[in-house]
Amino acid sequence: MFQQRDIVTAIEIGTSKICVLVGESTQDGKISVIGHGEAPSVNTVVKGEIADMDTALEQLTSAIEAADASSGREISNSNIIAVAVTGSSIQAYQGTGTVFVNSEDHRITESEMNEALQNAQVKPLPFGQTIINTFDSYYLLDGNRRVRNPFDQTADKLEAFIHVIHGDTNRIENFRSIMRDAGFEHEITPVFSGIASVYGILTDEEKEHGVLLVDMGAGTCEYMAVFNMGILASGVLPIGFEHVANDLSLGLDLHISVCRKMLIDGTIARHVQERQGFLELRTSAGNLRKIPLSSFEKIIDLRLREVFQIIHKNISDQGIFRNLSSGGVLTGGAALFPRTAEIFKSVFEFPVRVGQPFDASGAVTGLENPRYSTVWGVLKFGEELNRIINSRRKRGMVGAFIDGFDGLADLVWRTLSNLKHSITI
Amino acid sequence: MIETGKQKHVKVIGIGNSGVKIASRLYGLEMAGRLNITALDTDGLSLEQSSLPNDKKLLLDGGWRKGKGCGGDVLKGQRSMARERGGIEKLLDGASLLILTGGLGGGTATGGAPAFAGVAKKMEIPTIFVMTMPFSLEGHSKRKIAEDGIRELLPVVDVLLCLPNDLLFSTLPADTLVTDAFKNADLEVARAILGVSELVSVGNLLPADLADLSSVLNQKKSVCSIGVGVAASSDGLNRCHLALERMLDSPLLGGVTKLKEADAVFLSLTGGPDLSIGDTKKTFDAAIKFIGNETKVIIGANTDQTYSDMVQVTAITVNFDKQEKKPGVSKSDSFLAETRVVDWKSDEKSVSSTGFEQGELPLQNISRGIFLNTTQVAYDGEDLDIPTFQRRMVIVDKGE
């Protein structure tokens, strides 16, 4: 019998690559990847933001075409199209909303939760800023009891703490408009890259006990602090591994492409491993150049250390260090360079592991690489969103009425959907 | 099962011209028998003059430097050491503690010491670096080289003790012969090394070890000084008091007041098998009288076969930097404060003279490379697109 398939498309327009994944929800609640397309960004994306729309569109189209072909022409049936957004304009704040529980038995109902969440969102954003994602971090009952889910609890006062990620409207709109240009007519859901990686690679245990995720890609570095299934802090540094290559190129008079190649193909890492004192290179003129390995190490270490120290400062300013008992998780392309995790570990002085998609299944495999953490996370996020929307639809009129979300059209719900632990990270 | 009775294998390495001299002097001390001493230099001549047996001295990087030394060039020292990495590993194999000594300000020691620290760190050997700071009469440039060297060393070593050479001469009369003065200086540093090595060797009576020392030193930025005093029974009736007195007189300690002002003091007493509990108590009681009430005192006591008939008292004083700074951030800056505290006389001079000096121009071309045409990223007033090493004014060796 014909059955509606739940197709989700995830797209990441990154500094090094543009990647498209097509997934399908399976019966057991997991997602299987049915299509994968990838194209290099060829310098059209700088520091996570699209610099050259024309060329980016070309590359995006070819990636989408590849994914569409491999998925058996299913992209056009997508229920959800989610795209990862990042860039230096993205910021976050913690909002608080308070509600007094006036009902007779003082039990918190869903409508009070919704009211608290709405109140938490009232802080006006600066001009030209738009909300990308919103998550509930935790709830406080009577000003002192911290709970993850306040539903049905008895209390006089309910406070909701939410994490709001917002960015420059125009720059976010770029991601939407390029998707429209590429032929998607659906509503496009933006997801902050850091959030996506949280979905993609963290284990439930880590999210429960507190973890700092750092996703260092070619152009940007996103960090997220997650504790008790809620997000406490997040941010973007527009510094990525391209900066390391650029530093080497400037410091050692090498061409940038040589530096990129050495970082990617493991030449430097291998020399460090073998503890060789020098790295020999043949220059374009044909001469042999000997560069002390210590120079490479010095330049790379200084840069990476600085990045992690900035993150360290941002995190410690918010005083949430004690909540990070599971340590750190490093992902993104930079995680392929072994030294990055070592420096992460030494700056923060807690255990650090390298994270990569671990539960990917389906026709397309080979996603077990830190490079694919974000796009895989976008897919998981989209699938989760799809599931929630479906469940609301099925409940029909009565279900929606009880929720207190009555009268909200599907589209409106979609934009609000990020709220409330409807989405459990 | 955990090996508990494992013999500690302490490796002492003297590096560079002054390191070789200190190593030779140390080798001459009879108590240093259990230390494994090696001297390294790029300069063949200084090794020849050393009294060490031939298997204890190694010429560094003979292939490139050809035994001619580095001539005070830190870069050359770095390169020489980089070429010898494999050799260093062999040298350190099996060591349970590395004590490295040398004079900062020269080429071989200043450039080579960080490489040593790096190798030791990789091999997971704890390190204590006992480095001397150049005499103020050696000039401002040498001091700057030494300070840069410390900046490189601080993040990689476990314990770094800087001994200002100026203090060594502070207690000598002006008409002392030059040869005697320098001999004395080397001897004092050698004694300090011996004292440190005693301090951290397994305290079989009262434990105080490397972990104690490094935990105190790592808390905050600190200035330290060392005093060592040895006395034998033949020296006089009360050898413990004599040793204590000599420790207090020790030039590297910088006077009795140092003990009173210190924030933390490590005291260790080493004696032969004949050391009595009365002696121990007497010594510590007497020593504690010199130490302020607020001071944290860590005490260790030890017996050792080689000290039969002798006692040695070692004190390491630690003064924390009064301006509280966050640990981990800008360690280097606070070190500069240290040198200021230590020899205020020379510094006053240099302050007055810098008024006429032309500032040093950075040789590096500051640039943003491929990020030239992108939105600037500013953090804390710095443009993050400019390579970190250029903003930190770190000189990078581009190779040959």
Side-chain angles (χ1 to χ4, degrees), chain B residues 151-187:
Chain B
R151 210 164 297 167
E152 292 227 337
L153 274 176
L154 267 178
V156 281
V157 300
D158 295 320
V159 176
L160 176 67
L161 303 171
C162 287
L163 311 176
N165 272 347
D166 287 333
L167 275 185
L168 292 172
F169 291 168
S170 58
T171 50
L172 292 176
D175 55 353
T176 317
L177 291 178
V178 181
T179 45
D180 286 347
F182 277 88
K183 242 184 226 167
N184 254 325
D186 295 337
L187 193 64

Side-chain angles (χ1 to χ4, degrees), chain A residues 54-67:
Chain A
D54 270 358
T55 328
L57 183 60
E58 253 170 56
Q59 296 301 105
L60 177 62
T61 316
S62 75
I64 291 172
E65 177 54 31

Side-chain angles (χ1 to χ4, degrees), chain A residues 4 46 56 71 85 88 99 103 114 174 181 187 191 233 235 237 260 285 295 305 313 365 367 383 387 415:
Chain A
Q4 162 96 42
V46 178
S71 69
V85 295
S88 56
V99 162
S103 62
N114 288 331
N174 267 342
D181 293 348
E187 173 65 18
V191 192
L237 276 185
R260 280 192 194 126
S295 306
R305 201 166 285 277
K313 188 172 177 300
T365 47
L367 293 176
E383 196 262 345
R387 208 168 44 74
T415 49

Side-chain angles (χ1 to χ4, degrees), chain A residues 46-47 49 171 237-239 242-243 246-248 250-253 256 260 272 275-278 288-295 297-299 302-303 306 309-310 313-314 317, chain B residues 64 78-79 82-83 85-86 89 122-123 152 326 328-329 367-371 374-377 379-380 382 384-392 394-400:
Chain A
V46 178
K47 297 180 193 167
E49 288 164 9
R171 298 198 211 176
L237 276 185
I239 304 175
E242 281 277 86
H243 279 84
N246 188 42
D247 290 0
L248 288 176
L250 291 174
L252 303 171
D253 291 338
I256 182 89
R260 280 192 194 126
V272 173
R275 298 184 194 157
Q276 289 172 357
F278 286 84
L288 199 63
R289 242 186 98 184
K290 280 177 97 179
I291 304 175
L293 202 58
S294 58
S295 306
E297 289 180 318
K298 213 187 267 178
I299 294 176
L302 277 169
R303 170 61 84 177
E306 182 185 54
Q309 272 166 357
I310 292 175
K313 188 172 177 300
N314 290 352
D317 282 353
Chain B
W64 287 68
Q78 264 174 15
R79 282 185 195 164
R83 292 188 192 105
R85 271 191 161 180
E89 246 171 74
K122 254 180 202 153
M123 299 175 70
E152 292 227 337
K326 276 183 196 164
V329 188
S367 56
R368 308 172 74 207
I370 56 167
F371 298 107
T374 63
T375 344
Q376 273 201 8
V377 190
Y379 182 85
D380 232 4
E382 290 183 23
L384 291 184
D385 286 333
I386 294 171
T388 319
F389 74 92
Q390 289 186 348
R391 278 180 275 127
R392 301 281 142 82
V394 174
I395 309 282
V396 170
D397 182 6
K398 288 185 184 177
E400 29 204 306

Side-chain angles (χ1 to χ4, degrees), chain A residues 209-222:
Chain A
H209 294 144
V211 68
L212 176 69
L213 174 87
V214 175
D215 181 343
M216 192 172 187
T220 58
C221 184
E222 291 98 22

Side-chain angles (χ1 to χ4, degrees), chain A residues 232-346:
Chain A
L232 295 187
S234 65
V236 191
L237 276 185
I239 304 175
F241 228 54
E242 281 277 86
H243 279 84
V244 178
N246 188 42
D247 290 0
L248 288 176
S249 142
L250 291 174
L252 303 171
D253 291 338
L254 294 168
H255 194 266
I256 182 89
S257 60
V258 178
C259 299
R260 280 192 194 126
K261 191 170 157 291
M262 277 194 298
L263 287 168
I264 293 167
D265 70 6
T267 312
I268 294 173
R270 202 171 52 246
H271 276 75
V272 173
Q273 193 76 41
E274 291 165 4
R275 298 184 194 157
Q276 289 172 357
F278 286 84
L279 211 148
E280 288 183 359
L281 285 174
R282 195 156 297 276
T283 58
S284 50
N287 307 325
L288 199 63
R289 242 186 98 184
K290 280 177 97 179
I291 304 175
L293 202 58
S294 58
S295 306
F296 284 94
E297 289 180 318
K298 213 187 267 178
I299 294 176
I300 296 171
D301 278 23
L302 277 169
R303 170 61 84 177
L304 293 177
R305 201 166 285 277
E306 182 185 54
V307 171
F308 287 112
Q309 272 166 357
I310 292 175
I311 297 175
H312 187 280
K313 188 172 177 300
N314 290 352
I315 293 284
S316 52
D317 282 353
Q318 304 188 40
I320 48 176
F321 249 109
R322 60 199 165 85
N323 291 340
L324 305 175
S325 58
S326 283
V329 175
L330 175 72
T331 189
L336 296 170
F337 189 70
R339 190 81 190 130
T340 320
E342 284 172 32
I343 292 176
F344 186 7
K345 193 173 146 197
S346 81

